[in-house]
């Protein structure tokens, strides 16, 4: 089945061109011209992914995203924006967006980012049924540990919850996945390409600031006054999680 996609873009030329391109790419597209229509359509039939323009009259893309997230809707959101300042990108992440593309954009980049978002929410394939083992008395192994722990952090991947000390962290999906990757490789420097591939499924290249924005946002949620910083930048290489 093709993925369903809701596109909200007030510029008619961009909306029509992107709708055609996405349809040719295999998406079932519903295109609307403003945030009010976007919310109404999202409530009528939940799409697999949303593409929202940030700057729209009335209710803009950020407000649409905030409303959906407040309602508990975790549908992936890709923002289209002409705003390139880091503060503007952080505003989009604060609103609950999962990724963004800066205008003017190459439509192939939009396709790649959508593929990466959809891969991250795709259900895992059902495992093949295992053969029934012969019963062996009192030799059942203990189940593996449920929690991940490193550098004073504790994480429950199954429940998607994380704590620093006794404080629970409020993390978006992307932030949680990034922190989980760092915890699983605590003390090891992960380069930019590895992180992009594991989190987004696509390396956006050396000019992208996407990873730096997410790391900065995650640091703001992790760091505490008087406590050591946990995520360290290794200049020219990547990032590592460690105390001190």
């Amino acid at each position: 089945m093709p993925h369903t996609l809701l596109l909200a873009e007030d510029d008619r030329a961009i909306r029509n061109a992107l709708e055609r391109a996405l349809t040719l790419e295999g998406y079932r597209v519903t295109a609307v011209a403003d945030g009010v229509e976007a919310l109404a359509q999202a409530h009528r039939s939940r799409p697999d992914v949303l593409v929202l323009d940030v700057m729209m009259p009335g209710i803009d893309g950020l407000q649409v995203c905030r409303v959906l997230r407040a309602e508990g809707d975790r549908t992936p959101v890709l923002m289209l924006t002409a705003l390139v300042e880091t503060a503007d990108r952080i505003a989009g992440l604060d609103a609950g967006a999962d990724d963004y593309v800066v205008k003017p954009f190459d439509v192939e980049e939009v396709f790649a980012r959508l593929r990466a978002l959809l891969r991250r929410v795709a259900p895992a394939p059902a495992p093949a049924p295992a053969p029934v083992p012969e019963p062996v008395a009192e030799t059942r192994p203990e189940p593996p540990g449920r929690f991940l722990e490193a550098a004073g952090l504790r994480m429950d991947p199954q429940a998607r919850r994380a704590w620093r000390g006794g404080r629970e962290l409020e993390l978006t999906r992307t932030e949680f996945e990034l922190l989980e990757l760092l915890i699983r490789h605590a003390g090891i420097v992960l380069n930019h390409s590895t992180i992009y591939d594991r989190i987004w499924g696509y390396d956006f290249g050396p000019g992208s600031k996407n990873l730096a924005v997410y790391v900065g946002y995650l640091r703001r949620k992790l760091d505490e006054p008087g406590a050591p910083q946990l995520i360290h930048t290794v200049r020219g290489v990547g990032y590592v999680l460690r105390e001190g």
Side-chain angles (χ1 to χ4, degrees):
M1 291 289 292
H3 288 294
T4 56
L5 183 148
L6 175 57
L7 167 65
E9 166 62 68
D10 65 316
D11 186 305
R12 185 169 61 182
I14 295 177
R15 183 175 67 251
N16 290 345
L18 198 49
E19 181 181 10
R20 285 195 300 272
L22 289 164
T23 300
L24 289 172
E25 187 67 7
Y27 292 94
R28 193 162 74 244
V29 181
T30 300
V32 299
D34 59 50
V36 173
E37 289 185 76
L39 280 174
Q41 185 61 40
H43 290 148
R44 277 195 295 269
S45 57
R46 182 174 172 179
D48 296 321
V49 64
L50 292 93
V51 179
L52 304 176
D53 182 32
V54 170
M55 303 292 286
M56 291 189 289
I59 298 178
D60 63 21
L62 297 181
Q63 292 171 295
V64 171
C65 195
R66 289 191 188 100
V67 170
L68 294 176
R69 295 302 188 239
E71 293 172 347
D73 190 326
R74 308 310 302 169
T75 304
V77 173
L78 176 66
M79 288 289 192
L80 305 178
T81 178
L83 306 174
V84 297
E85 296 298 324
T86 298
D88 299 315
R89 296 168 181 170
I90 290 175
L93 303 178
D94 275 338
D98 296 282
D99 203 355
Y100 60 86
V101 175
V102 177
K103 298 178 182 178
F105 50 78
D106 186 323
V107 71
E108 292 296 331
E109 181 182 4
V110 175
F111 295 161
R113 291 177 186 255
L114 288 173
R115 288 194 297 268
L117 288 178
L118 289 167
R119 277 198 300 271
R120 288 160 51 197
V121 297
V132 178
E134 292 293 328
V136 178
E138 299 182 1
T139 58
R140 293 180 181 176
E142 291 294 323
R146 174 172 175 173
F147 294 94
L148 302 175
E149 296 188 45
L153 298 172
R154 189 164 179 258
M155 174 174 281
D156 182 348
Q158 296 178 34
R160 299 190 73 80
R161 298 175 68 187
W163 300 262
R164 180 170 188 179
R167 176 173 62 92
E168 184 164 3
L169 306 169
E170 296 294 330
L171 304 175
T172 66
R173 180 174 56 249
T174 300
E175 292 162 3
F176 188 93
E177 291 175 359
L178 177 57
L179 183 59
E180 181 180 359
L181 179 65
L182 291 169
I183 288 178
R184 288 186 183 276
H185 298 82
I188 300 171
V189 178
L190 298 176
N191 62 41
H192 298 90
S193 295
T194 297
I195 299 174
Y196 272 127
D197 183 66
R198 294 288 294 276
I199 302 301
W200 284 274
Y202 179 76
D203 187 347
F204 298 116
S208 175
K209 301 297 184 184
N210 203 35
L211 177 55
V213 170
Y214 272 100
V215 169
Y217 195 52
L218 187 54
R219 279 173 172 158
R220 287 168 54 192
K221 295 189 176 183
L222 288 178
D223 291 350
E224 297 176 341
Q229 187 179 71
L230 300 183
I231 301 177
H232 300 265
T233 301
V234 180
R235 205 171 284 278
V237 181
Y239 299 94
V240 59
L241 178 75
R242 65 169 182 263
E243 282 189 287

